[in-house]
Amino acid sequence: MRAQKACICDCIVSILPAVEIGILQHPSEQKQSKGTARLAALSVKNAKLWVGELVTNAVLSVSHGQVVETPVMSKDSLAQWISQKTTLLLYPETDEVLDTNLSDSVIMQNSFQGVPVNKQLPAGKVCKVSEINRLNGDFQVLVLDGTWRKTHKMLMLNPVLQVLPRIAILPNKASSYHIRKQKNNQSLATIEAIAELIQMLEPEASNAERLHTAFDKMQQFLLSLRAKSHSHQQVRKEES
């Protein structure tokens, strides 16, 4: 049995945080059986998931807990979603320092294209908690899904993402991502990162812990498929 054909339907939970979540998934992750973005998007009922390297041609795949049966690019585009309100990018500070003139130029271009530019927030830098609190919840968060190398490439390919104010999380514990190799101890699966994000923003009202439960259940399911596949291979080998 191939894990790629596995259905994660029984792993899906249901939570509805106050903050809206958008996910931009690298195309190579779309058929990755061990990926978690799809499970997160199906579980967070006000989340949307787009697939693509570029904001301009990303295709909507999941919306408000439902699979988009006929993915579309023009309707409910990621660019439109970003333009509806202040958008924070879940991404740490990077070593690259944007040229000030380039940054100002991109900010002006984004504003012209209808992307809200909140000049009270630092473009391309991680916001302080006090700065986020001043927004009074009037913001949404975009998450990039992929390996560190691929999400960095997505960031570099999209100037609109480079100047979005950022939000960062400090994990309370090491990742429980046992079925896929992580870059380091601070790396989290996308669903874990979203759970940590919601818990940070909504510490009292959040039930984001259910996302960790969904993630654990998904991993147990995939491991059971792997064990069954190995067992079948052993039987065929003994019979041959």
Side-chain angles (χ1 to χ4, degrees):
M1 183 180 295
R2 296 180 62 188
Q4 286 87 343
K5 299 296 183 180
C7 177
I8 59 171
C9 304
D10 291 339
C11 306
I12 298 169
V13 297
S14 179
I15 69 169
L16 184 61
V19 63
E20 291 184 55
I21 305 291
I23 304 171
L24 177 58
Q25 182 182 61
H26 191 277
S28 66
E29 291 291 312
Q30 191 173 18
K31 295 184 179 180
Q32 170 58 258
S33 63
K34 294 177 284 188
T36 66
R38 189 174 179 84
L39 178 60
L42 290 169
S43 296
V44 180
K45 298 309 178 185
N46 60 354
K48 292 188 175 185
L49 182 148
W50 291 267
V51 179
E53 277 192 322
L54 301 176
V55 168
T56 52
N57 64 7
V59 175
L60 185 65
S61 177
V62 177
S63 179
H64 297 96
Q66 300 293 325
V67 174
V68 178
E69 297 296 342
T70 306
V72 289
M73 186 173 63
S74 57
K75 184 181 178 182
D76 290 326
S77 72
L78 178 54
Q80 289 173 330
W81 186 82
I82 292 175
S83 70
Q84 70 184 10
K85 64 170 67 173
T86 297
T87 302
L88 305 181
L89 181 68
L90 180 62
Y91 205 87
E93 294 258 0
T94 49
D95 295 332
E96 294 87 356
V97 179
L98 291 176
D99 179 79
T100 303
N101 293 327
L102 173 60
S103 181
D104 289 343
S105 172
V106 173
I107 289 174
M108 290 177 64
Q109 180 184 13
N110 290 346
S111 179
F112 177 75
Q113 293 175 346
V115 177
V117 176
N118 193 323
K119 293 187 177 181
Q120 295 180 335
L121 301 177
K125 296 186 179 297
V126 173
C127 299
K128 299 176 182 178
V129 175
S130 59
E131 293 172 322
I132 296 174
N133 289 339
R134 283 199 293 269
L135 296 174
N136 295 318
D138 188 24
F139 65 92
Q140 57 194 13
V141 179
L142 179 64
V143 180
L144 302 183
D145 175 61
T147 63
W148 276 107
R149 181 179 179 182
K150 288 171 182 173
T151 56
H152 183 263
K153 179 182 178 182
M154 292 159 72
L155 183 66
M156 293 298 101
L157 287 174
N158 293 276
V160 65
L161 299 184
Q162 294 176 34
V163 296
L164 287 178
R166 300 183 190 178
I167 185 170
I169 54 176
L170 293 175
N172 294 319
K173 57 184 179 180
S175 173
S176 62
Y177 210 171
H178 305 307
I179 60 174
R180 192 173 184 181
K181 185 178 180 181
Q182 295 288 75
K183 179 182 178 183
N184 54 50
N185 292 333
Q186 294 297 308
S187 298
L188 299 177
T190 295
I191 196 170
E192 292 178 305
I194 291 174
E196 293 280 346
L197 170 72
I198 295 172
Q199 288 174 329
M200 181 181 74
L201 295 174
E202 306 170 24
E204 297 180 358
S206 171
N207 57 358
E209 187 63 32
R210 298 189 66 192
L211 293 179
H212 291 291
T213 302
F215 181 39
D216 291 341
K217 191 172 182 179
M218 185 196 87
Q219 291 194 97
Q220 292 169 8
F221 175 59
L222 293 178
L223 286 172
S224 70
L225 289 182
R226 185 184 299 175
K228 288 179 182 178
S229 176
H230 179 72
S231 176
H232 292 162
Q233 290 174 5
Q234 285 293 105
V235 170
R236 288 197 297 269
K237 184 176 181 181
E238 291 173 359
E239 291 177 345
S240 60

